[in-house]
Amino acid sequence: MKASFILLSLFVTVISSMQAQVTQQVRAKRVTATQNQFPAKISTSATETNKKSAVLEAINFPNAYTSMKLRLPFASEEKTYLVQKTGHFFILHGDIIVGDDFPKTMAYSTPDFSFISFQWANATMPIVIDPSIYANGMGDIVHAAIANFNSQTELCLVPRTSQDDYVNISFSMNLGTAAGVSKLGRQGGGQPLQLGSSATIGTVMHELMHAAGFYHEQCRTDRDNFIKLHEENMQDDKKNQFQIEVGTAQSTYDYCSIMHYSATAFSKNGNATIECMINGLPVPCPDCLGNRTSFTQKDIDGIDKFYNKVSRFPCNSPFPNPNRQQMQFPGIYPSASQSAMAAFRQKADIAGKEHFAGAFPNFHEAKAGINTVGGTIFIKSTVAVWQDVPLAQLGNPSIDDFAARMRATQNYAVANGYLGGFPTYHHANYGSGIVCGTVLLGPAAADWRDVPIAELGNPPLDDIGARFRSANDYAVRNGYLGGFPTFHHANYGSGIVCGIILIKKTAGEWRDVVIIEGPR
Ligand SMILES: [Zn+2]
């Protein structure tokens, strides 16, 4: 079915630049604290005196460990932990904030220890990105991590508007050896997630997973079936980094989880602190142990299971990045634009006759007898709507620029609560300005995803047909009816990603339609 939709790859200069969606709200830090007040989260039985003395100890010996009784999220009882004073925080397990000397610390003291109290409502985690992140060149990795959550999991990270509870991501030079630190689960108010200069995209994903409510994988209650710990190789003050917690693990044990320690974590001599076991026998650990690159499928499944219990608003648009690299869209040869528009109009006409909301070509063509047929995705009118939208409301894209109109339609769709959209490429003027036929997809019709261009087979950005075919093939490989590119792309620091709309199998049908009758 690979087809002959050939475009002259003639580069014209750049036409338009990515629409920066600068809606980011950056709030001044509301916490201005000061007094070294021991966090409220230690055991309710701890006396004021005990709190103060522990703080003093920690302050006098900045890297010293101090003993703290904590009832951690999801735990049924208190346990004693060694925690390390790092900057403003008391840190457990290397990077989990269990106390701070800011006044707003409801965490670990809430009387309600049910799962729900640490979950983010509606599976939506509001985020504030502090200006210090951008000032220290960390913007791209933070946005890349957020994009990975939004495109791969049920948990949706959105810019904070007025929500009471949110994660405040900021830069810190006071994290000691940690690349990042975070609280565990929703804690109430603006909770800190801090990153040091050694943080990577994987670090940010790891810390955000803590904020979402996940412990380290090797702390699971079933971990002794899968790993053996070697205390003799552990640094003495790190031995209780490996305490078992009840936690929120949802899937089976995952050596490759982005939440698992590496084999030599907290080793004092370079020898393994973690050995892998199957059926009580040592086995070589997989190379992926300690992965800080990407989510595993079990990480994704875990997040989805923990969060899909609640209804949520679809996470259907990219998290706006005020510092996104300004990528320029390649010019597309005008005749290629015109051919593509004609292909869309033909499909729109068939869709109209057959009472679908709309249809688009997937740009796969084949011979059927003497005719040439083209793959077409039809969208049901129960999950999408067709509308005439004034060109001005679309931002006045050039009427001759196929890709600019795709982008403009997608922006319009998202701004109006739809998941995505595409033009019919019919337009008219009924006397009050140009209106453009537009198909708008609801959340039941499709999903949106940012896909690395390499996963799409690196289609040339100025080749309309190649981009449609690659998006459609990607969609089909991932269990969808079909898909199309939004013609938005961006680089968050780890290569180009392309916006793709994935049409659900229940949303319509795929069919070959005759596009040229008779021999070519
Ligand atoms: Zn961690």
Side-chain angles (χ1 to χ4, degrees):
M1 291 283 285
K2 294 286 168 186
S4 51
F5 192 92
I6 297 170
L7 297 172
L8 290 175
S9 45
L10 197 135
F11 278 89
V12 186
T13 18
V14 192
I15 293 181
S16 55
S17 62
M18 189 73 121
Q19 303 217 338
Q21 303 170 0
V22 188
T23 56
Q24 177 70 29
Q25 291 214 352
V26 181
R27 301 255 171 156
K29 261 193 194 154
R30 64 207 204 57
V31 186
T32 49
T34 49
Q35 287 199 332
N36 291 306
Q37 183 185 13
F38 211 66
K41 6 233 87 128
I42 44 174
S43 104
T44 45
S45 62
T47 67
E48 219 35 56
T49 315
N50 286 342
K51 294 178 184 178
K52 290 222 165 87
S53 64
V55 169
L56 284 176
E57 185 188 349
I59 289 168
N60 290 338
F61 305 95
N63 290 316
Y65 282 79
T66 187
S67 177
M68 202 186 263
K69 272 188 142 184
L70 297 167
R71 182 173 167 188
L72 296 179
F74 315 114
S76 56
E77 57 186 13
E78 286 181 350
K79 283 197 279 187
T80 302
Y81 297 88
L82 280 182
V83 297
Q84 188 176 27
K85 185 75 164 35
T86 306
H88 282 290
F89 301 125
F90 292 93
I91 301 292
L92 174 70
H93 288 187
D95 68 336
I96 299 175
I97 302 170
V98 290
D100 56 41
D101 46 21
F102 294 141
K104 177 78 173 176
T105 46
M106 299 192 300
Y108 313 120
S109 61
T110 167
D112 178 4
F113 278 81
S114 66
F115 268 42
I116 203 78
S117 62
F118 296 100
Q119 270 182 327
W120 294 89
N122 296 319
T124 299
M125 184 193 284
I127 301 281
V128 168
I129 302 178
D130 187 87
S132 61
I133 289 292
Y134 298 110
N136 287 279
M138 311 289 282
D140 285 341
I141 66 161
V142 170
H143 281 279
I146 290 172
N148 285 340
F149 271 88
N150 285 355
S151 64
Q152 296 176 43
T153 80
E154 291 290 318
L155 182 62
C156 186
L157 279 53
V158 300
R160 180 199 180 215
T161 50
S162 60
Q163 297 94 336
D164 290 338
D165 300 338
Y166 60 97
V167 175
N168 187 67
I169 304 178
S170 63
F171 180 81
S172 173
M173 293 197 296
N174 300 314
L175 301 183
T177 54
V181 296
S182 172
K183 291 193 173 184
L184 202 134
R186 180 181 65 88
Q187 298 282 338
Q191 67 187 70
L193 187 161
Q194 295 195 348
L195 302 171
S197 53
S198 61
T200 62
I201 296 169
T203 309
V204 186
M205 292 160 69
H206 177 99
E207 300 306 334
L208 284 167
M209 258 190 96
H210 280 318
F214 291 84
Y215 284 93
H216 291 134
E217 186 75 1
Q218 77 282 344
C219 294
R220 295 167 56 126
T221 51
D222 59 351
R223 65 104 184 273
D224 289 334
N225 299 329
F226 301 95
I227 58 171
K228 181 176 177 185
L229 297 177
H230 288 277
E231 277 202 26
E232 71 277 13
N233 296 330
M234 290 177 193
Q235 298 164 33
D236 290 334
D237 56 5
K238 301 286 169 67
K239 287 183 179 172
N240 70 353
Q241 300 278 343
F242 295 87
Q243 266 176 301
I244 287 176
E245 307 301 341
V246 174
T248 50
Q250 306 283 314
S251 293
T252 53
Y253 198 84
D254 184 7
Y255 290 113
C256 304
S257 169
I258 203 162
M259 303 308 284
H260 205 298
Y261 280 179
S262 67
T264 54
F266 301 111
S267 174
K268 66 180 176 190
N269 53 17
N271 294 331
T273 51
I274 295 176
E275 187 179 15
C276 296
M277 309 281 291
I278 291 180
N279 297 328
L281 297 172
V283 293
C285 287
D287 289 343
C288 58
L289 191 78
N291 153 46
R292 290 294 180 276
T293 305
S294 54
F295 289 130
T296 62
Q297 190 57 49
K298 286 181 184 177
D299 287 331
I300 294 168
D301 292 346
I303 296 169
D304 288 354
K305 279 189 195 164
F306 190 45
Y307 279 101
N308 72 6
K309 293 181 288 193
V310 291
S311 62
R312 69 181 190 110
F313 300 106
C315 185
N316 59 6
S317 60
F319 191 102
N321 180 354
N323 271 32
R324 179 153 59 182
Q325 267 172 261
Q326 290 294 302
M327 295 202 59
Q328 295 176 313
F329 296 111
I332 287 175
Y333 196 62
S335 68
S337 261
Q338 292 302 330
S339 304
M341 291 186 207
F344 264 72
R345 282 192 288 267
Q346 187 217 7
K347 309 305 179 289
D349 293 345
I350 300 171
K353 279 181 201 137
E354 300 188 11
H355 305 292
F356 287 97
F360 63 90
N362 66 18
F363 289 88
H364 280 300
E365 295 174 18
K367 294 300 274 185
I370 58 166
N371 296 332
T372 304
V373 295
T376 305
I377 311 292
F378 292 90
I379 316 280
K380 290 179 189 167
S381 57
T382 50
V383 293
V385 293
W386 170 89
Q387 277 177 13
D388 267 343
V389 177
L391 188 64
Q393 283 189 33
L394 295 168
N396 287 313
S398 163
I399 205 81
D400 296 320
D401 185 332
F402 176 87
R405 289 179 67 182
M406 287 291 293
R407 286 187 288 273
T409 304
Q410 179 66 23
N411 293 346
Y412 175 87
V414 170
N416 287 278
Y418 293 92
L419 191 127
F422 57 87
T424 65
Y425 290 98
H426 282 298
H427 61 275
N429 191 334
Y430 301 107
S432 52
I434 293 176
V435 292
C436 299
T438 302
V439 179
L440 300 165
L441 306 169
D447 290 318
W448 162 87
R449 216 179 266 187
D450 261 347
V451 179
I453 196 166
E455 284 186 42
L456 297 170
N458 294 307
L461 289 172
D462 64 341
D463 185 334
I464 297 172
R467 292 188 68 178
F468 268 91
R469 287 188 291 275
S470 65
N472 195 74
D473 294 350
Y474 173 89
V476 171
R477 279 200 305 278
N478 285 275
Y480 289 87
L481 179 68
F484 63 86
T486 64
F487 283 83
H488 278 297
H489 60 275
N491 189 334
Y492 300 107
S494 53
I496 292 175
V497 294
C498 298
I500 303 292
I501 303 295
L502 303 156
I503 307 295
K504 295 176 182 176
K505 282 185 170 164
T506 50
E509 61 187 69
W510 166 89
R511 202 187 325 148
D512 273 338
V513 304
V514 174
I515 53 176
I516 300 169
E517 286 187 26
R520 242 188 179 157

